[in-house]
Amino acid sequence: MTQTARRRSQGSNRGGRPATLTPERVVAAAVEILDEEGLEALTMRRLGAHLGVAAMSLYRHVPNRDALLAEVVTHLFTEAVIELGPAEPWDEALTRFAGAYRETLLAHPHAVPLLATHPVDTDRGLALLAGLLGRFAASGVGEQDALTVVQSVAVYVLGHALAQVGTPSGTAPAQATTDPAATAFYDRWFEAGLAAMVSGFERRLAGDDRPTR
């Protein structure tokens, strides 16, 4: 039995009828399709078939495909949220968040173009990042400055992941490279760029944004 078939089997009860749909099941199934078949394949009709239900029944949980994609984006972004220590400095917390976000993106390569073009809902994103933003506040960094730093790093992570995945939505299947040399190259590139961004913001927030020699 294939992995997909096994999931479908587990999604039905013993009488052979589909298990009760929930918003969580709908979004999880959407992520499965996205991972296995790509963004273009993620339609309401395809999702209904994957869940063994009529597409119309999905509209009780998500009003349309755009709303579904927004839920998928939030679901995946949530995977990158990290546990923070009570006294963890913002630079360390930010670096760990960036690494976790990159891991999430590379684990779902088809989702990289989606997150690059469908930002996380502002209110939900702020709620998910409350712990990270709190580390800035604990260091006396203002909210707007903290948001600028976090958003800048998040965009860097997305752009770097898109470069590594290398294919936009709707073209050849996206996948993170498995060549060890290429992976090591991208890792070094990512870490060097991230370190430069974080140290640059540290200097800027400290009031010393003069270029280094």
Side-chain angles (χ1 to χ4, degrees), residues 19 50 62 119 181 208:
H50 186 76
V62 285
D208 180 11

Side-chain angles (χ1 to χ4, degrees), residues 34-162:
L34 180 63
D35 286 344
E36 296 174 4
E37 303 176 34
L39 182 57
E40 298 303 315
L42 181 52
T43 64
M44 301 299 278
R45 182 185 298 274
R46 177 69 187 89
L47 181 57
H50 186 76
L51 287 165
V53 299
M56 289 301 296
S57 64
L58 299 175
Y59 293 101
R60 301 172 187 171
H61 305 282
V62 285
N64 51 50
R65 185 174 185 266
D66 285 342
L68 174 66
L69 294 181
E71 292 298 328
V72 168
V73 165
T74 301
H75 175 89
L76 293 174
F77 191 74
T78 301
E79 290 186 12
V81 176
I82 58 174
E83 294 288 338
L84 298 173
E88 187 171 3
W90 69 259
D91 57 322
E92 294 181 11
L94 180 63
T95 298
R96 289 204 302 114
F97 162 73
Y101 190 21
R102 180 179 181 235
E103 287 182 7
T104 296
L105 293 172
L106 296 184
H108 303 279
H110 281 296
V112 177
L114 173 62
L115 272 80
T117 55
H118 292 68
V120 180
D121 174 78
T122 300
D123 291 338
R124 297 172 80 173
L126 288 174
L128 289 169
L129 293 174
L132 177 57
L133 294 173
R135 303 319 308 149
F136 285 84
S139 299
V141 178
E143 180 181 10
Q144 191 55 57
D145 283 337
L147 285 172
T148 297
V149 174
V150 173
Q151 289 173 333
S152 297
V153 169
V155 169
Y156 167 72
V157 176
L158 267 170
H160 195 278
L162 193 58

